[in-house]
Amino acid sequence: MDKNDNLHNADGNQPEMDNVHMEAQDSLENAMVEESTTPRQTLEGQETTDSDGLNDEPVKEGSNKAEEKVEDVSTTHEDAIVEEKDTVANTTDPIVEVDEDDDNEPQDDSIKEIPEKDYYAMEMPALIAELRELMQEYPINSFRTQADDIKKAFETADADAKKEALAKFTEENPPVEDEPAPVFEYKNELATQFYELHSLYRKQKGQFQRDKRKQQEDNLEKRRQIIEGIKQLINQEENIGTTFKKFHNYQDEWKATGNIPHDAYNITWEDYRLATQNFYDYIDLSKELRDKDFERNLDFRKKIIARAVELGAEENIHKALRELQELHRMWKEDAGPVAKEERDPIWDEFSAATKIIHDKRQAYYEERDKMSAQNQLVKENIVAEIQKITHQGAKNHKEWQDRLEEINVLRELFTKTGPAPKAVNNELWNQFRNGTREFNKAKNDFYKGLKKEQQDNLDAKMKLIAIAEEHQDNENFAEGLQIMKRIQAEWKQIGHVPRKDSDKIWKRFQKACNGFFDKKSAQKKEDSKEELENFDAKMKVYDALKEMIPQDDKKAMLADVEQHMSQWAAIGRVPYNKRMIQEKFEKLLHAKLKAAGLNAVDAEMLKYQNKLASLENGDANDFKNERFYLKKRRDEIQDEVRQLDNNLQFINAKDDKNPFLVQTKKNIAELSKELDVIKEKQKQLNILQRQMVKQEEEAAAAAEAEAAEKANESEASEENE
């Protein structure tokens, strides 16, 4: 798997995906054109089997014996194989020599074609969605060119976004004397999403390549076994017809075996040819068997021609050319020799069928060139229209929004329009991008004039913040509620403020409002006399635990701590505004448990038993909140561990002294321990909840039984009376 992640030429001037894709396709198809125009004597070398003379070699001892030896002055298989071997050794077949590692084109014709798209015209979210769709809808090995182009387009878009962010930062933070200059920081969450997705793509593609290589190795082993089987045929003493049938079976198995590693192809093919030649050398073929073999090979070649003729009607030219490539391979590699008088006619027929497909290919690309010229005209008009809209400008916010909508329509049209000719396509894209930038600059200049209005809005909202902060401690909740509702409504009516102040003042206003409403809610729960008594009781337990001094007898100290825990758990709820006592007690408890000799994990779990006891005395919301907190914390830990594991992939794992590597592994170990504690807490929480449900069910059942018993006693009493 190619793991080259270098960012090459990320300046927006890369060739478009469709042009790279077309070049790869054209190189394959041009090879097939060369195949069809190569002189017949070269490609048909395996059939040049002219030979005069008699086959007078005696039957070798221990070899197969023919039932009847027939002298024949016509072409023999032995001479055909010899000439075929010489021709193959001296011929470069442009069809068979296609690089098997080029997996950009899907070979399964049931897979839909990947549509050509202009990735450089897409925004970053669209590029992420496009890569995700390719990974979900297509085989992982079928879109390497598209994935590379999407990555380059994303890098270009990200670089442009960084430049814009830097320009804006520089404008908003002009240099000031006697003050340190602020540091520019660029963070792009979309980039994080994209590179995580692209990393997953590379992993999946690598796994596919490993599986593919293993399958090719298995096929290579099968072919070696077939070669060995053919070699062994000459040592078997049996009827020649039976042996020849076995030979044909080996040939069928050879054809049915899939691809093998490219680096082993030539030597394996040579071994197969040599074994086949030796088979014919050592077996005296009768004329009848030879003619049957010729007929069998002729029938196979006619089937190849019939399929080539059918491909002439195939609408998908890429599919037709791919299958024609396979037919040429079968013609050369799988099909055996035919009778001399059939060779020229059968080749001419196959060449004619091939020419029809190549003529369709030529027509297809001529039509595509016409469409590219039309696309060029459309894109040039779009660029001109954008420049016109920018020059016209607008006078107010509504007009600018209308112009923006027009630009968006033009942008979408530009994106959907197919590629222009390669020579001008990138230049058109640069013109389009510069045009949209000029429009955005003009629009931004207009909105800079709105700063005074936004400043007035900021002043109005600051007054509302002052009112909110003034009344956040108002104990007259009826009066304060009316004020808070009024200023919240006024806040919504005020327009935009400067972006740099927006989040800050909103958080301040929200904090003041929440402070009032929190106290109002707390007042509703302003606790009863019983809750205040509970608080006093818990304070006594807290003080007693605080005064406990460490003991040499750890077991005794642990028992004392557990006794205080039990006392604490037996006390009910405390007032809402005094709830922090629980947190203070848990911190103190943790320290005492460690002093009693417990490790951090055991101390945490024992402390959690105290929390479970308080939950048992609480209501359903307490359980809900605790369950939500544990789940949230568990998800956070898992996300952090996953991120740290991803970071390790970019570190040299062999360098054990790398401080970043050591710290990362340490962090992972600590998070894993905390995750185990969280899981145990979830388990204990579930057990407690099930116990409480069971107790409630038992209590309900007991109450029903008691009620039934009383009813029976009442009925019996009435009967006695």
Side-chain angles (χ1 to χ4, degrees):
M1 176 181 178
D2 182 11
K3 293 189 177 182
N4 183 7
D5 283 338
N6 294 322
L7 308 180
H8 295 307
N9 302 324
D11 57 357
N13 295 321
Q14 303 95 324
E16 279 201 74
M17 175 281 300
D18 45 86
N19 290 314
V20 178
H21 176 72
M22 289 187 289
E23 286 181 354
Q25 180 68 31
D26 290 348
S27 64
L28 177 61
E29 295 170 355
N30 289 334
M32 298 178 64
V33 173
E34 182 183 346
E35 161 82 0
S36 64
T37 56
T38 304
R40 182 180 66 255
Q41 291 80 1
T42 302
L43 290 176
E44 283 294 295
Q46 68 268 31
E47 297 186 12
T48 309
T49 56
D50 297 327
S51 176
D52 295 328
L54 300 177
N55 184 6
D56 293 329
E57 275 198 44
V59 176
K60 307 283 191 298
E61 187 67 20
S63 65
N64 290 280
K65 298 177 174 57
E67 293 178 340
E68 180 180 1
K69 185 174 182 179
V70 180
E71 294 184 353
D72 185 13
V73 296
S74 62
T75 304
T76 64
H77 278 70
E78 293 89 332
D79 295 326
I81 293 297
V82 171
E83 280 202 46
E84 178 185 14
K85 177 179 180 299
D86 295 338
T87 304
V88 170
N90 298 316
T91 302
T92 300
D93 190 336
I95 298 298
V96 177
E97 293 298 326
V98 172
D99 186 4
E100 294 182 6
D101 291 334
D102 185 5
D103 56 2
N104 192 55
E105 284 291 317
Q107 298 302 312
D108 186 353
D109 291 330
S110 65
I111 300 173
K112 59 184 179 181
E113 291 286 336
I114 301 177
E116 297 179 354
K117 296 183 179 181
D118 188 355
Y119 296 121
Y120 288 97
M122 294 183 180
E123 301 293 338
M124 285 185 281
L127 290 171
I128 296 174
E130 187 67 24
L131 180 57
R132 181 177 290 109
E133 180 182 359
L134 289 174
M135 293 173 64
Q136 293 174 347
E137 300 296 332
Y138 297 92
I140 199 67
N141 67 312
S142 64
F143 53 88
R144 182 179 64 187
T145 296
Q146 289 85 348
D148 290 344
D149 287 339
I150 289 173
K151 183 173 182 288
K152 293 176 182 178
F154 189 92
E155 290 167 352
T156 301
D158 188 37
D160 291 342
K162 185 176 181 180
K163 289 179 182 178
E164 293 179 1
L166 178 59
K168 181 180 178 182
F169 176 83
T170 304
E171 179 182 349
E172 294 179 350
N173 299 274
V176 180
E177 295 183 1
D178 301 329
E179 290 187 13
V183 179
F184 171 70
E185 293 184 1
Y186 176 71
K187 295 182 180 179
N188 188 350
E189 295 296 333
L190 292 174
T192 302
Q193 296 178 29
F194 176 81
Y195 289 116
E196 287 179 354
L197 183 62
H198 194 270
S199 176
L200 177 61
Y201 157 73
R202 296 201 311 270
K203 290 179 182 178
Q204 292 180 356
K205 189 170 184 293
Q207 185 60 47
F208 172 85
Q209 294 288 17
R210 290 189 289 272
D211 295 342
K212 175 183 174 183
R213 180 69 184 186
K214 185 178 185 305
Q215 182 61 50
Q216 290 179 343
E217 295 288 351
D218 294 342
N219 294 338
L220 176 60
E221 182 60 27
K222 291 180 182 178
R223 292 205 170 191
R224 287 172 175 168
Q225 293 175 2
I226 292 171
I227 294 171
E228 281 302 314
I230 295 175
K231 289 180 180 179
Q232 295 301 322
L233 288 178
I234 64 177
N235 296 322
Q236 298 178 6
E237 297 185 4
E238 58 185 1
N239 181 281
I240 189 172
T242 301
T243 302
F244 205 69
K245 183 177 180 181
K246 290 182 179 179
F247 176 69
H248 280 167
N249 290 338
Y250 280 127
Q251 286 182 316
D252 292 338
E253 290 180 20
W254 180 272
K255 297 173 186 177
T257 304
N259 291 335
I260 64 175
H262 190 58
D263 54 5
Y265 175 81
N266 288 334
I267 188 171
T268 306
W269 172 250
E270 182 66 19
D271 290 345
Y272 174 72
R273 288 299 188 188
L274 183 60
T276 304
Q277 175 186 338
N278 291 338
F279 174 78
Y280 283 122
D281 286 344
Y282 281 98
I283 296 181
D284 296 313
L285 292 176
S286 66
K287 184 177 184 302
E288 179 182 359
L289 288 176
R290 183 201 62 202
D291 291 342
K292 286 184 178 180
D293 196 45
F294 280 163
E295 292 175 3
R296 179 174 179 267
N297 296 335
L298 179 62
D299 181 67
F300 182 67
R301 290 181 184 265
K302 285 182 176 180
K303 290 180 180 179
I304 294 177
I305 293 173
R307 181 54 187 157
V309 172
E310 292 176 0
L311 289 177
E314 172 61 50
E315 294 183 359
N316 188 329
I317 187 63
H318 298 301
K319 175 182 177 182
L321 286 166
R322 286 198 301 270
E323 190 165 346
L324 181 62
Q325 174 194 6
E326 177 63 14
L327 293 179
H328 273 263
R329 186 201 64 76
M330 294 167 61
W331 185 277
K332 175 181 182 289
E333 181 178 332
D334 297 339
V338 299
K340 180 178 180 181
E341 62 272 17
E342 297 287 351
R343 292 177 198 138
D344 289 346
I346 200 74
W347 169 248
D348 291 340
E349 190 175 352
F350 185 48
S351 297
T354 299
K355 186 176 184 301
I356 292 174
I357 299 175
H358 289 322
D359 290 343
K360 289 186 65 176
R361 169 188 179 270
Q362 185 64 28
Y364 167 81
Y365 284 112
E366 289 176 357
E367 181 63 24
R368 191 179 71 178
D369 291 340
K370 292 180 182 178
M371 289 299 300
S372 296
Q374 294 178 6
N375 294 338
Q376 177 183 354
L377 181 60
V378 171
K379 289 188 173 183
E380 288 174 347
N381 291 336
I382 292 174
V383 171
E385 185 64 21
I386 290 175
Q387 292 172 348
K388 178 181 176 182
I389 293 173
T390 303
H391 179 72
Q392 289 177 347
K395 297 179 180 179
N396 53 51
H397 172 73
K398 183 179 183 305
E399 287 185 8
W400 274 110
Q401 292 304 308
D402 293 339
R403 298 291 183 270
L404 179 60
E405 186 175 350
E406 293 173 8
I407 292 294
N408 288 337
V409 171
L410 292 173
R411 179 185 287 109
E412 183 177 0
L413 179 59
F414 191 96
T415 303
K416 291 183 177 179
T417 303
K422 180 181 177 182
V424 299
N425 196 53
N426 285 344
E427 178 59 26
L428 281 173
W429 162 246
N430 289 333
Q431 292 178 10
F432 168 77
R433 185 174 58 181
N434 292 335
T436 54
R437 283 179 176 174
E438 288 298 322
F439 171 83
N440 289 331
K441 183 178 183 302
K443 176 174 65 69
N444 293 338
D445 290 341
F446 167 79
Y447 282 105
K448 287 178 183 178
L450 299 179
K451 283 188 175 181
K452 184 180 184 303
E453 178 183 346
Q454 293 181 350
Q455 184 61 42
D456 293 339
N457 294 337
L458 177 61
D459 294 338
K461 288 191 173 183
M462 289 302 297
K463 291 179 181 179
L464 296 182
I465 291 175
I467 295 173
E469 291 177 343
E470 179 184 354
H471 291 275
Q472 67 179 343
D473 296 324
N474 190 346
E475 296 182 357
N476 186 342
F477 294 107
E479 177 188 4
L481 181 61
Q482 296 300 321
I483 294 174
M484 289 297 178
K485 287 183 177 181
R486 176 177 60 79
I487 63 176
Q488 286 180 337
E490 291 178 4
W491 182 280
K492 293 179 181 179
Q493 297 299 322
I494 300 174
H496 295 289
V497 300
R499 184 178 299 177
K500 63 180 181 179
D501 299 313
S502 179
D503 288 341
K504 181 171 61 176
I505 65 171
W506 165 247
K507 290 179 180 178
R508 184 175 170 185
F509 179 74
Q510 188 182 44
K511 179 180 178 181
C513 294
N514 289 344
F516 169 81
F517 287 108
D518 287 344
K519 291 179 180 180
K520 181 176 178 297
S521 299
Q523 181 63 31
K524 288 184 179 180
K525 299 178 181 179
E526 193 74 42
D527 297 86
S528 62
K529 180 179 178 181
E530 180 181 354
E531 290 177 331
L532 291 173
E533 292 174 353
N534 292 339
F535 174 76
D536 293 337
K538 286 195 172 185
M539 282 301 300
K540 292 179 180 179
V541 176
Y542 174 84
D543 293 337
L545 182 62
K546 185 176 182 181
E547 293 174 359
M548 179 185 295
I549 60 175
Q551 303 176 20
D552 294 335
D553 189 347
K554 301 298 183 182
K555 291 184 178 180
M557 182 177 180
L558 180 59
D560 290 342
V561 174
E562 290 177 347
Q563 182 179 2
H564 284 80
M565 288 173 59
S566 300
Q567 294 174 0
W568 182 276
I571 303 172
R573 299 171 63 90
V574 299
Y576 179 80
N577 59 354
K578 301 182 182 300
R579 64 190 184 281
M580 297 304 295
I581 187 62
Q582 179 69 30
E583 181 178 349
K584 292 176 62 178
F585 179 79
E586 288 180 357
K587 290 182 179 179
L588 177 61
L589 181 62
H590 185 77
K592 295 300 182 180
L593 289 173
K594 289 182 66 176
L598 293 183
N599 58 41
V601 175
D602 292 338
E604 180 65 23
M605 291 310 303
L606 188 57
K607 183 181 71 173
Y608 193 69
Q609 296 299 321
N610 181 69
K611 181 67 174 290
L612 292 176
S614 65
L615 289 175
E616 188 174 2
N617 296 324
D619 55 22
N621 286 333
D622 294 332
F623 271 97
K624 182 179 179 181
N625 293 337
E626 181 65 9
R627 190 179 300 279
F628 174 81
Y629 166 75
L630 293 177
K631 183 179 184 304
K632 179 182 177 183
R633 183 54 187 157
R634 180 173 178 173
D635 293 340
E636 290 174 349
I637 294 173
Q638 291 174 336
D639 290 341
E640 291 180 34
V641 171
R642 191 179 300 111
Q643 183 61 48
L644 291 173
D645 286 335
N646 289 338
N647 294 342
L648 287 178
Q649 297 180 10
F650 301 95
I651 306 173
N652 184 5
K654 297 181 179 179
D655 187 6
D656 294 333
K657 297 181 180 179
N658 187 328
F660 183 74
L661 176 63
V662 173
Q663 184 61 40
T664 301
K665 290 183 176 180
K666 181 179 178 181
N667 292 342
I668 292 175
E670 292 176 354
L671 288 172
S672 298
K673 290 181 180 179
E674 185 179 355
L675 182 60
D676 292 338
V677 173
I678 293 294
K679 290 179 179 178
E680 182 62 24
K681 287 183 177 180
Q682 289 178 318
K683 179 180 177 182
Q684 296 296 328
L685 185 65
N686 292 335
I687 293 174
L688 175 61
Q689 194 165 19
R690 287 196 296 269
Q691 290 176 348
M692 293 179 64
V693 170
K694 184 177 180 181
Q695 291 173 0
E696 291 175 359
E697 291 175 350
E698 291 175 352
E704 290 178 0
E706 182 179 358
E709 183 178 355
K710 290 182 178 179
N712 292 333
E713 291 176 355
S714 177
E715 290 177 358
S717 176
E718 291 176 358
E719 290 177 357
N720 292 332
E721 291 177 357

